[in-house]
Amino acid sequence: MALTSALLVVVFIIFMLASHYSAQLQLNEMGKDRTQRYVEQLDALLDRKAHRMEAVARILVQIEGVEAAIRSGNKDDIQQRIAPYWETLREESAVNSAVVFSPTDEVLLWQGDPRIPPGMLEKFRIDWQPRSALACFDTCELYVVVPLELPGWGRGMVVYSAYLDQIIQHFHAISKARVALAVRRNQSQLDNNEHYLINWGSEILTASVMTKDIPLLVELANQYSRADVFNGLQIARDKRSYEIVLRPLQGAVFPRQGEVYLISDITAEMTQHETLQRNGLIFALVGLVFAEVVLLTTLWGPLNRLRIMASVLPLLATQKFTYIRKELNALQRDIPFSDESDILNSSALRLSHLLEELQSELHTRAEELEKKTDDLQAEKQFVQSILDTAHALIITQDRTGCISMANHHCGSITGYDTTELVGKSFFWLLPHNEQLPDLRFQLNELVNGFRNELHHESAVVRKDGTTVYMAWHHSLLPNVKEQNQILSIALDISERKEAEERLGWLASHDPLTGLFNRRRFGEELQKSISHAKRYDRIGAILFFDLDQFKDVNDTSGHKVGDELLRRVSERLSIEARDSDQIFRLGGDEFAMLLREVEVDAVGKVASRLCDALASVEVLGNGRVHRVSTSIGIALFPHHGEFVDDLVANADIAMYQAKTSGRNGWHIYSPDEHDRERTHERVYWNEKVKEALATDGLNVVFQPIQNIEENRLSHFEALLRVFDEEGQPLPTFKFIQSAENSGLIQDVDLKVIDKVLLRKQVLERAGVDAVFAINLSGVSFRNPDLYDEIAHKFKFYNVNPAEIIFEITETSAVEDAVSTAQKMRDIKKLGCKFALDDFGVGFSSLYHIKQLPIDMVKIDGSFIRHLPEEPEDQALVRAVVEVSRVFGLVTVAEFVENESILEVLMLLGVDYAQGYHISKPEPFDVIWPDQRLNLETGTSISDSKSRRGK
């Protein structure tokens, strides 16, 4: 009850404060509106005064004799004509000065003491419209300028000025508000004159009521700041209320700012405001008293009943339900409506019945819980039996790491009895190493809830001192004792650890030979270089490359090749010293690291190794394969202080050994000419390997035109390789290096893959296209060439009849019989053959008859100057005639202009190829609509290739 009354009082106070605040805001807004209204009235009076002065200025010439005097320019005459009227103008219009200017700006009249504002006349001359301005010097004046136009005389000006005293008095008469006109002064210009407002920096020029306004403003200037009066001051004087507001006089800024002090009598407004506040307070107090009386009358009965119920309800805890219901029933009322006390009484009765039912149910649940406890004990024993039979180490530990439970399998793994483990620290089972403190920290994070689970692997020390490797999984289990229990489960991973160690061995060893691999070679070589530099010793690396090893794989299979590599590694191990290390770098490349060696002895070691490897042989496919090797030698630190430099120099030396003859050795020499030549060979050899490994081979297509029908017949696929910056590499050097290194066969097969894939894309899109593919003569030494090509036709499922293989004349005649047989076998697949570069080293036309070709491509050296060289024309004519006899078509290469094409037509050549027809272009330039299909086809092809492997 008391709290409710206090709340009403607080609401009353808040309401009164809000009411007062709102009334004050309304009073302030009224003051702002009144000030704005006064400013607007003052502005209107100034405008009206300016218009009247304009009218007075215009009637100047109407004074008798003034116009003639102005035309004559007689200043004295003008002065005499105006003099009789001047006092009248000053009294009636408050004009205090007048100036007349001729069209040439000559002053014809200067009456009074005018101080025309600067720039006023210049602005007037822009549009010659009447203009007014305020200027405040010792006093504030209103200046008006109007045009003076006389026929035949020109356009002059009349300027009038008037004091503002009359306007101030007029404003006071209209608004009933008093106003004081002032001007801003510097502090140095102010003294103790009664008209000076020193603290506000102003001098009062005039006021509506000088005797009252000036003393009042001087008094206020000593008490308040200028900002206060600008925002409006409310004061009380002689039982009257006034508001004083400072406002600048708009437009009066030269040479000093003019301003007005508006003094308004607000006694009526303040009286009304105070009356409203007083009446509001009285009504609010009456309302508060009335509300308190109503509240007391309404709540007295319910509160008394609530007090009785409050004394009965605690008895519910004593389970005296009958007594409680008797007391509550006595409070029941038989009335048509109910209040909150009746609702609470009914709820208390229902609660007593509900609690009585719950107590009865609680006894029943207690009996059931006892039975459940027996069942849980049986389940616990069942779970324990499962834990004991599970083939996993299972323990629980408390937050300190103390083992509280261990299953039976834990004992069989560790050798300890479970009773020996309980109470021991979990870390007692683990070996002491640098990982133990970190594991303690991680388990502590698990216990404190910073992680949900923990996985780790560690050894477990068994009772007999041996170790077994376990994979642990720790998780948190809540305990009824409000302590965190850790469940730790471990599986035996000893076999997996052994497999990982085996993989670690494979990371640094070659699985075929058991020798160290290339990765280990780099590490050991770096250590040896550092050792040699530190102790001023000399070491050497020997690079071995088995000669013609690829032929062993091609003729007898990879199984025989692997056996040969193993025997080579065994022989090198026998020949090496204990301090030497042997490595297999990959393929048929080996290396030997001599940590310390005399320079003179290196050659002897290499010779001995060449002789030893020459005795290695292996039987395969009815053949005996013997080993010869080329050895490149680089000394360190003489030939390089870094691994990459030494490897490159040893590789250079090895290629020098191959160039000098097989089964030999060569010590690296820094001779510049030799180095440059060898570096170039190594560079191109690496480019070929890189292009094959990274799919860096690209193909472009050059159209070939049917000369007679003037249409494109087919396209020749040309190899292109680019460097890291996207610039094309010389194709001739790339192919030459591939042929010298024996990798041209792989290059040819890669190019066939790329062309057949594009052929597949075009056929699926319904586009007809015939492609010509170049084959190296070296590829025809491959005994599996037919099988490779047949497999690719089947894989890509393209029409072989639209594929032409080109082979150069010089390559074809190296082993004409064997080459011709392979060509016949491949032609059975349905494809065609063309003899490329025909005429190079040309001596007879015998090869046209011997080889199963369909097309002859005349070498470009006979075509370039065909229009000017009769000999070339005769040769081409002979090739065309012989080709027709054998049913072959002819193609001219290097057709670079129209004149060559015309001569070829006369000579009967069937097809033309060259820049005049078209330059080689990428696939997506010639067939732009198939670019997306090509990308999709590439992905599918790669996927099939991986599945095939």
Side-chain angles (χ1 to χ4, degrees):
M1 186 71 178
L3 180 62
T4 306
S5 298
L7 181 62
L8 284 175
V9 172
V10 171
V11 172
F12 164 76
I13 294 173
I14 294 174
F15 172 77
M16 290 304 302
L17 291 175
S19 177
H20 176 74
Y21 178 73
S22 175
Q24 190 63 41
L25 286 179
Q26 184 178 5
L27 186 65
N28 292 339
E29 288 298 323
M30 291 174 59
K32 292 178 182 179
D33 292 343
R34 180 172 55 253
T35 301
Q36 181 63 29
R37 185 172 67 254
Y38 288 163
V39 170
E40 291 175 355
Q41 289 177 355
L42 186 59
D43 290 341
L45 290 174
L46 287 172
D47 289 341
R48 192 169 76 174
K49 179 65 176 179
H51 290 314
R52 290 189 61 189
M53 291 175 66
E54 290 172 10
V56 171
R58 287 191 179 94
I59 65 173
L60 178 66
V61 295
Q62 297 178 11
I63 297 176
E64 182 179 357
V66 172
E67 180 178 351
I70 290 175
R71 286 181 179 275
S72 66
N74 191 330
K75 301 177 183 179
D76 294 336
D77 192 16
I78 297 173
Q79 184 76 28
Q80 293 176 1
R81 296 289 183 179
I82 292 178
Y85 304 96
W86 182 248
E87 289 302 324
T88 304
L89 287 174
R90 293 188 63 178
E91 292 176 1
E92 296 182 358
S93 301
V95 175
N96 66 305
S97 68
V99 182
V100 177
F101 293 94
S102 70
T104 60
D105 288 343
E106 179 185 0
V107 177
L108 301 179
L109 174 65
W110 189 272
Q111 186 72 34
D113 186 20
R115 296 183 183 181
I116 303 174
M120 179 180 179
L121 300 182
E122 287 74 7
K123 294 178 181 179
F124 171 74
R125 291 190 183 96
I126 295 175
D127 53 9
W128 291 90
Q129 295 297 320
R131 188 177 298 272
S132 62
L134 290 171
C136 292
F137 289 91
D138 295 331
T139 184
C140 290
E141 298 176 280
L142 176 64
Y143 284 84
V144 175
V145 56
V146 296
L148 178 61
E149 294 186 61
L150 299 176
W153 180 71
R155 180 183 292 176
M157 295 180 289
V158 177
V159 180
Y160 275 180
S161 69
Y163 294 125
L164 301 185
D165 299 29
Q166 187 181 67
I167 297 175
I168 295 300
Q169 296 302 326
H170 193 188
F171 172 79
H172 175 60
I174 293 175
S175 63
K176 305 305 180 182
R178 288 143 53 187
V179 60
L181 177 64
V183 64
R184 295 281 288 163
R185 302 289 188 192
N186 296 328
Q187 290 293 333
S188 60
Q189 298 173 336
L190 299 176
D191 54 24
N192 292 324
N193 189 298
E194 63 178 2
H195 288 190
Y196 290 158
L197 308 178
I198 297 177
N199 292 338
W200 291 351
S202 299
E203 178 190 358
I204 300 175
L205 302 179
T206 185
S208 300
V209 183
M210 296 288 286
T211 57
K212 294 183 179 180
D213 296 343
I214 293 177
L216 176 63
L217 292 175
V218 171
E219 178 185 353
L220 294 177
N222 293 327
Q223 297 176 2
Y224 300 95
S225 67
R226 182 178 176 84
D228 293 335
V229 73
F230 189 85
N231 294 326
L233 286 174
Q234 292 182 358
I235 63 172
R237 289 289 187 278
D238 302 327
K239 299 182 180 181
R240 305 292 294 178
S241 296
Y242 299 94
E243 182 183 52
I244 296 91
V245 180
L246 169 64
R247 286 293 181 266
L249 188 61
Q250 294 184 6
V253 296
F254 176 82
R256 297 179 181 87
Q257 173 68 55
E259 52 193 21
V260 291
Y261 292 90
L262 300 171
I263 304 171
S264 306
D265 188 342
I266 58 171
T267 304
E269 289 88 338
M270 292 301 296
T271 301
Q272 183 181 7
H273 172 72
E274 292 171 358
T275 301
L276 289 175
Q277 291 289 91
R278 185 171 56 256
N279 293 340
L281 178 60
I282 294 172
F283 286 128
L285 287 173
V286 172
L288 176 63
V289 172
F290 180 75
E292 291 285 356
V293 172
V294 172
L295 181 64
L296 179 62
T297 304
T298 306
L299 297 181
W300 181 262
L303 287 177
N304 187 49
R305 298 176 68 235
L306 287 175
R307 185 168 56 255
I308 296 173
M309 282 187 280
S311 63
V312 172
L313 287 177
L315 298 177
L316 289 173
T318 62
Q319 302 178 6
K320 297 179 180 180
F321 302 114
T322 304
Y323 173 76
I324 293 171
R325 285 195 286 271
K326 177 181 177 182
E327 293 294 325
L328 293 176
N329 286 326
L331 297 175
Q332 291 279 12
R333 296 185 300 174
D334 187 14
I335 55 178
F337 60 89
S338 59
D339 57 17
E340 285 76 6
S341 64
D342 297 315
I343 297 173
L344 180 60
N345 189 57
S346 300
S347 299
L349 285 170
R350 288 195 299 272
L351 179 60
S352 67
H353 288 290
L354 180 60
L355 288 177
E356 189 174 13
E357 293 174 1
L358 288 176
Q359 185 183 20
S360 175
E361 186 177 354
L362 183 61
H363 289 295
T364 305
R365 291 290 179 91
E367 295 175 355
E368 294 177 354
L369 182 60
E370 185 177 358
K371 183 177 181 300
K372 294 252 184 206
T373 302
D374 296 336
D375 294 340
L376 287 174
Q377 185 65 29
E379 290 181 8
K380 180 181 179 182
Q381 295 175 356
F382 176 72
V383 171
Q384 185 65 44
S385 65
I386 293 177
L387 292 176
D388 291 338
T389 57
H391 288 279
L393 189 156
I394 304 175
I395 63 174
T396 58
Q397 50 181 308
D398 60 21
R399 62 184 300 112
T400 64
C402 185
I403 298 174
S404 56
M405 186 279 294
N407 69 338
H408 178 74
H409 192 65
C410 179
S412 62
I413 290 179
T414 63
Y416 293 101
D417 188 78
T418 55
T419 57
E420 296 179 85
L421 293 175
V422 174
K424 293 287 193 304
S425 172
F426 167 72
F427 303 101
W428 180 72
L429 290 171
L430 308 183
H432 292 279
N433 53 37
E434 64 277 1
Q435 297 179 352
L436 200 58
D438 187 50
L439 180 59
R440 291 179 185 272
F441 177 77
Q442 292 174 347
L443 282 174
N444 187 57
E445 286 185 327
L446 178 65
V447 169
N448 291 293
F450 294 111
R451 59 168 67 207
N452 296 324
E453 56 186 18
L454 173 64
H455 298 270
H456 70 96
E457 297 177 0
S458 67
V460 171
V461 181
R462 305 179 62 173
K463 190 173 184 178
D464 58 6
T466 60
T467 58
V468 58
Y469 282 95
M470 309 294 290
W472 292 90
H473 174 81
H474 305 277
S475 58
L476 201 61
L477 294 177
N479 197 337
V480 296
K481 297 180 181 179
E482 297 183 357
Q483 294 181 353
N484 292 328
Q485 287 275 341
I486 299 175
L487 174 65
S488 302
I489 303 175
L491 297 176
D492 188 351
I493 58 169
S494 299
E495 295 182 357
R496 194 192 80 187
K497 276 292 182 181
E498 292 176 3
E500 289 177 351
E501 291 175 358
R502 172 64 179 167
L503 291 175
W505 181 88
L506 291 175
S508 60
H509 289 76
D510 173 45
L512 178 63
T513 63
L515 300 176
F516 287 135
N517 57 14
R518 180 181 290 275
R519 177 171 172 267
R520 185 65 176 271
F521 169 70
E523 297 172 354
E524 294 297 331
L525 179 55
Q526 184 61 58
K527 294 177 184 178
S528 299
I529 294 172
S530 301
H531 177 82
K533 290 169 62 179
R534 183 180 297 111
Y535 298 104
D536 195 21
R537 304 295 173 83
I538 297 176
I541 55 171
L542 282 66
F543 262 33
F544 299 79
D545 187 82
L546 303 184
D547 300 326
Q548 304 296 330
F549 175 72
K550 192 174 187 299
D551 293 341
V552 178
N553 283 334
D554 292 342
T555 57
S556 298
H558 291 281
K559 186 175 182 181
V560 176
D562 292 346
E563 179 61 27
L564 180 62
L565 293 175
R566 279 191 289 266
R567 294 192 182 184
V568 168
S569 67
E570 291 170 0
R571 176 57 62 183
L572 290 175
S573 300
I574 293 172
E575 297 296 329
R577 302 175 299 176
D578 292 340
S579 61
D580 300 335
Q581 289 181 300
I582 307 168
F583 307 85
R584 183 188 176 208
L585 305 182
D588 60 344
E589 295 180 352
F590 293 82
M592 180 178 287
L593 175 60
L594 309 180
R595 295 184 180 276
E596 294 185 11
V597 66
E598 298 295 332
V599 176
D600 297 338
V602 175
K604 297 178 182 179
V605 173
S607 297
R608 177 168 54 82
L609 293 174
C610 285
D611 295 339
L613 292 179
S615 64
V616 175
E617 60 182 33
V618 65
L619 179 65
N621 208 16
R623 299 182 182 181
V624 177
H625 298 284
R626 293 182 175 82
V627 175
S628 67
T629 184
S630 299
I631 304 177
I633 305 170
L635 304 176
F636 58 85
H638 291 41
H639 295 155
E641 297 184 358
F642 302 99
V643 172
D644 292 341
D645 294 340
L646 275 173
V647 170
N649 293 335
D651 203 34
I652 291 171
M654 185 266 292
Y655 275 99
Q656 279 296 105
K658 279 189 178 292
T659 304
S660 301
R662 304 187 187 280
N663 201 36
W665 55 273
H666 183 80
I667 297 179
Y668 169 75
S669 172
D671 178 75
E672 290 300 329
H673 178 71
D674 181 62
R675 178 183 176 88
E676 181 180 353
R677 182 160 52 89
T678 308
H679 262 303
E680 182 179 10
R681 185 184 301 110
V682 173
Y683 171 82
W684 283 107
N685 187 35
E686 290 300 320
K687 282 298 179 185
V688 174
K689 292 180 181 179
E690 179 184 344
L692 289 171
T694 62
D695 195 23
L697 301 177
N698 299 275
V699 289
V700 294
F701 299 87
Q702 186 172 30
I704 299 175
Q705 178 179 310
N706 186 311
I707 298 177
E708 182 178 359
E709 298 177 2
N710 192 27
R711 64 173 179 84
L712 296 182
S713 169
H714 58 285
F715 301 82
E716 181 180 3
L718 301 173
L719 176 64
R720 293 290 184 270
V721 183
F722 300 89
D723 62 15
E724 293 81 4
E725 298 178 359
Q727 299 299 318
L729 296 172
T731 307
F732 170 78
K733 289 188 176 182
F734 184 91
I735 293 176
Q736 186 182 50
S737 176
E739 289 179 340
N740 292 336
S741 62
L743 296 174
I744 191 64
Q745 298 179 25
D746 296 330
V747 173
D748 283 348
L749 293 176
K750 283 282 188 181
V751 171
I752 292 174
D753 275 325
K754 290 182 176 293
V755 175
L756 294 186
L757 173 62
R758 286 153 177 78
K759 174 65 177 167
Q760 181 190 63
V761 169
L762 292 175
E763 285 188 359
R764 289 179 176 176
V767 179
D768 294 327
V770 179
F771 292 120
I773 307 172
N774 289 280
L775 284 178
S776 170
V778 179
S779 292
F780 280 84
R781 301 175 193 169
N782 181 6
D784 299 325
L785 179 62
Y786 168 82
D787 294 333
E788 293 278 0
I789 294 177
H791 170 72
K792 293 185 183 301
F793 276 128
K794 182 178 180 181
F795 179 83
Y796 291 101
N797 192 26
V798 297
N799 182 12
E802 295 183 340
I803 299 298
I804 304 170
F805 289 108
E806 296 186 4
I807 181 172
T808 60
E809 178 190 6
T810 52
S811 299
V813 299
E814 286 181 1
D815 186 1
V817 177
S818 175
T819 301
Q821 183 57 46
K822 286 186 173 66
M823 292 173 64
R824 292 187 186 95
D825 294 338
I826 294 173
K827 286 193 66 173
K828 291 177 183 178
L829 297 173
C831 53
K832 300 180 178 63
F833 271 92
L835 190 61
D836 197 12
D837 296 338
F838 186 82
V840 178
F842 175 77
S843 59
S844 71
L845 299 175
Y846 171 75
H847 303 125
I848 293 181
K849 179 180 179 181
Q850 187 183 23
L851 297 173
I853 58 176
D854 307 276
M855 187 178 295
V856 174
K857 299 191 72 174
I858 306 170
D859 187 76
S861 59
F862 306 111
I863 305 299
R864 282 195 181 95
H865 307 290
L866 190 63
E868 301 85 22
E869 297 291 339
E871 295 84 359
D872 291 343
Q873 295 179 17
L875 180 61
V876 172
R877 185 181 292 107
V879 173
V880 171
E881 291 175 356
V882 172
S883 297
R884 285 179 177 172
V885 171
F886 290 99
L888 307 177
V889 296
T890 53
V891 181
E893 298 176 309
F894 288 90
V895 178
E896 297 179 349
N897 53 58
E898 184 65 23
S899 59
I900 295 177
L901 186 62
E902 292 173 356
V903 174
L904 292 175
M905 184 178 296
L906 294 175
L907 295 177
V909 177
D910 301 296
Y911 299 94
Q913 178 181 0
Y915 278 17
H916 180 65
I917 307 303
S918 174
K919 293 183 179 181
E921 297 287 354
F923 179 87
D924 54 359
V925 173
I926 302 175
W927 295 281
D929 295 337
Q930 303 305 319
R931 180 175 183 178
L932 180 59
N933 295 334
L934 175 61
E935 294 173 353
T936 305
T938 302
S939 301
I940 295 173
S941 174
D942 291 344
S943 176
K944 288 182 177 179
S945 299
R946 289 192 291 270
R947 291 200 298 268
K949 292 178 182 179

